[in-house]
Amino acid sequence: MKQFSITIAGGGSTYTPGIIMMLLDHQKEFPIRKLCLYDNDGDRQEVIAKACEILLREREPGLEFGYTTDPETAFTDVDFVMAHIRVGKYAMREKDEKIPLKYHVVGQETCGPGGIAYGMRSIGGILEILDYMEQYSPNAWMLNYSNPAAIVAEATRKLKPNARIINICDMPLSIMTRMAGILGIPEEELDIGYYGLNHFGWWTWIKDKEGNDLMPALKEHVRENGYDSEKEGMRHPDPSWRDTFRKAKDVYATDPDTLPNTYLKYYLYPDYVVEHADPSYTRANQVMDGREKEVFSAAREIIEKGTAKDCRFRKDEHAFYIVKLARALAFNTKEKMLLIVPNRGAIENFEPEAMVEIPCIVGKDGYEKIAQGRIPQFQKGLMEQQVSVEKLVVEAWAEGSYQKLWQALILSKTVPSASVAKKILDDLIEANKEYWPKLK
Ligand code: NAD
Ligand code: G6P
Ligand code: MN
């Protein structure tokens, strides 16, 4: 059986240990011969890397492991690059969230002005890693989680059309896991129709493997509770996520024919989101005090003890999804997965040159899209507005255009007026001096 070489870009990410645990779990179905972590912050990465080194030595001693900040070392002899970088790290996420809130506008990692600001930082970071990958391992695939995935995907479609990159998101899977929990069946039982942009989509049908329609039962639940549930094991530990799952009830009410992605709350109920935000303690603060502390303290504990025997690293759906994608490409499993891909007719009555999130069949040669037909006016209108935001951000980045970035903010459904858009933009420019191209 062929054995594969993987580089994780953004080695210092809070998600790296989970992905490594998942890879270890899949050594039989998807054997790895070599694993390398790459990051441009050597100190941050080293904590995660040293802990993973101990873990791997104990659990898979034959596997070659390394970590580096040198691109040539990281990207030579690689089959898959799993990318999850956060350009500007949590310090910049915090600013992305807090600056718009100053003007009573949604402050969110990937939606609205915060997502636009993050996109302006991520594009260069991802294009750089794609260049390294093409230089040192031209046949490799990049599987990209780095956010904002919608803007990163549009940037690569436009600026690097032949790049071997597949952009993905774990949100639909985590909602589907909740759907399965609500119905009391395993997640693998669900077969779906879905269309949209990343963090901006809808399920059109959901059936079990025997073809039974599961939509009526799910709708009945979502109408009352959103994707929240009191069932054993389904209570999300974070109150902010619990609120998001519950709010899906109101998002669902805007179109009872479909079931929505939770991220639509930022576009359809921005007033609610702002009212319930704490402008001095946002999600970035919660994550820095939560996931980041937990993962790094688990890593430090392994290093201090010198063993990962009872380690606190956890694997989850996020890791499952990217490993499943890599395995599908490696072993032609022909699995149906949601991916962010060029539309080109898959959604019949929507912009052909747009990156959309739809089900695809994944195999050795990449993916085949499953056409989703025509979409209703409501979703089409929302998506046209949002895809224009994403396209304008990429144009603004490529051309260094202040005007286009202002237009992107004006078009975002989260921003009430051109004057508010301008105030937010000017603050974001100041905050992102180190990261954005110069705008004229
Ligand atoms: P994190 O800050 O813990 O890790 C990101 C790492 O990237 C850091 O160690 C940082 O030093 C590194 N980095 C930044 N710029 C880099 C560059 N140019 N080159 C190499 N490395 C660089 O962040 P996290 O919370 O673990 O999230 C990681 C990424 O995954 C984020 O982009 C996040 O939004 C994304 N994410 C996406 C999904 C999805 O659904 N697509 C789900 C979860 C997380
Ligand atoms: C989901 C989304 C990701 C996003 C993450 C934020 O997984 O699909 O795109 O990055 O949530 O989670 P956090 O815990 O960092 O707020
Ligand atoms: Mn996502």
Side-chain angles (χ1 to χ4, degrees):
M1 204 174 189
K2 187 170 177 207
Q3 296 195 311
F4 293 85
S5 166
I6 294 181
T7 286
I8 299 183
S13 159
T14 58
Y15 294 99
T16 295
I19 292 176
I20 292 180
M21 300 277 285
M22 189 62 73
L23 286 169
L24 282 174
D25 237 34
H26 281 73
Q27 270 295 70
K28 282 213 174 63
E29 312 95 294
F30 180 47
I32 309 301
R33 65 181 162 87
K34 188 175 154 205
L35 183 62
C36 180
L37 307 189
Y38 167 78
D39 205 289
N40 65 356
D41 178 341
D43 293 341
R44 181 181 174 93
Q45 170 167 266
E46 189 164 55
V47 182
I48 300 292
K50 285 204 155 136
C52 291
E53 192 166 42
I54 294 168
L55 174 87
L56 288 164
R57 199 167 55 218
E58 288 177 350
R59 301 193 189 178
E60 201 64 57
L63 198 153
E64 182 186 337
F65 176 73
Y67 57 98
T68 181
T69 55
D70 173 51
E72 184 173 354
T73 313
F75 298 100
T76 301
D77 178 30
V78 172
D79 299 304
F80 295 101
V81 173
M82 296 184 173
H84 53 201
I85 63 167
R86 184 186 291 285
V87 179
K89 294 178 275 190
Y90 285 114
M92 289 308 296
R93 176 176 179 175
E94 186 179 6
K95 291 188 185 178
D96 291 344
E97 292 170 352
K98 288 184 178 174
I99 290 169
L101 279 172
K102 260 174 55 188
Y103 302 96
H104 309 289
V105 168
V106 169
Q108 213 278 326
E109 181 195 25
T110 63
C111 304
I116 292 172
Y118 188 13
M120 289 288 286
R121 294 196 301 277
S122 292
I123 295 170
I126 289 296
L127 293 183
E128 180 183 75
I129 294 176
L130 273 175
D131 285 342
Y132 295 143
M133 185 180 98
E134 284 175 3
Q135 186 179 349
Y136 300 116
S137 291
N139 295 319
W141 277 105
M142 180 189 282
L143 313 182
N144 180 55
Y145 259 138
S146 313
N147 266 323
I151 291 172
V152 169
E154 169 60 13
T156 50
R157 183 200 66 79
K158 190 178 157 75
L159 305 171
K160 256 187 165 299
N162 298 319
R164 285 166 67 85
I165 178 172
I166 299 178
N167 294 284
I168 52 170
C169 172
D170 61 11
M171 197 69 237
L173 175 63
S174 73
I175 297 171
M176 283 167 61
T177 304
R178 299 191 73 81
M179 290 172 173
I182 288 161
L183 296 167
I185 59 174
E187 187 274 319
E188 310 82 72
E189 268 294 306
L190 302 184
D191 191 13
I192 60 156
Y194 184 98
Y195 68 83
L197 309 170
N198 178 233
H199 290 184
F200 206 99
W202 294 265
W203 280 268
T204 49
W205 57 265
I206 303 176
K207 294 179 183 172
D208 66 17
K209 287 279 155 70
E210 282 163 13
N212 300 307
D213 186 3
L214 304 174
M215 277 300 242
L218 282 170
K219 285 179 175 178
E220 196 180 307
H221 179 94
V222 175
R223 193 179 299 124
E224 295 300 321
N225 313 287
Y227 299 115
D228 194 20
S229 168
E230 293 303 321
K231 264 196 187 169
E232 175 85 22
M234 281 195 64
R235 228 180 134 76
H236 200 286
D238 283 358
S240 57
W241 274 109
R242 220 174 303 143
D243 179 67
T244 292
F245 289 127
R246 189 147 272 284
K247 192 67 186 168
K249 162 191 160 102
D250 297 327
V251 179
Y252 167 70
T254 64
D255 181 37
D257 290 338
T258 56
L259 285 169
N261 191 301
T262 45
Y263 273 92
L264 288 160
K265 83 166 182 178
Y266 297 106
Y267 302 95
L268 299 173
Y269 295 98
D271 47 354
Y272 168 91
V273 169
V274 172
E275 274 162 37
H276 290 79
D278 177 349
S280 63
Y281 194 82
T282 59
R283 179 70 194 156
N285 301 106
Q286 293 175 17
V287 176
M288 285 186 273
D289 290 341
R291 185 174 67 242
E292 187 181 31
K293 280 213 168 76
E294 282 157 28
V295 171
F296 278 81
S297 82
R300 289 199 175 91
E301 190 178 290
I302 293 171
I303 299 167
E304 275 157 29
K305 288 188 180 163
T307 171
K309 201 167 155 284
D310 303 307
C311 81
R312 289 184 284 123
F313 286 163
R314 290 287 167 266
K315 52 184 190 286
D316 57 10
E317 289 151 352
H318 176 88
F320 176 75
Y321 200 60
I322 196 163
V323 171
K324 179 167 149 169
L325 176 59
R327 192 170 73 95
L329 291 161
F331 290 108
N332 205 29
T333 63
K334 298 281 177 183
E335 253 154 314
K336 184 172 170 179
M337 297 185 75
L338 282 176
L339 307 177
I340 304 164
V341 295
N343 184 28
R344 300 184 192 145
I347 301 172
E348 201 182 311
N349 54 340
F350 189 64
E351 164 90 52
E353 291 309 307
M355 296 303 281
V356 295
E357 195 163 305
I358 51 167
C360 299
I361 302 293
V362 188
K364 229 182 175 72
D365 300 320
Y367 55 81
E368 287 173 63
K369 300 180 285 182
I370 303 176
Q372 298 296 302
R374 295 181 69 80
I375 60 174
Q377 196 64 48
F378 177 63
Q379 279 84 357
K380 184 167 174 281
L382 288 166
M383 282 168 59
E384 277 169 353
Q385 182 177 13
Q386 178 59 20
V387 87
S388 302
V389 174
E390 292 158 8
K391 284 177 171 294
L392 281 163
V393 173
V394 173
E395 289 178 23
W397 185 88
E399 298 165 24
S401 167
Y402 179 97
Q403 193 72 39
K404 286 193 170 172
L405 199 57
W406 186 27
Q407 289 174 344
L409 278 149
I410 294 168
L411 262 178
S412 175
K413 202 166 155 45
T414 58
V415 177
S417 77
S419 59
V420 173
K422 198 170 184 64
K423 285 180 191 152
I424 296 175
L425 176 57
D426 290 339
D427 280 14
L428 288 174
I429 289 174
E430 182 58 29
N432 283 279
K433 275 196 298 235
E434 272 181 64
Y435 300 99
W436 287 8
K438 273 236 165 325
L439 302 181
K440 287 190 293 289

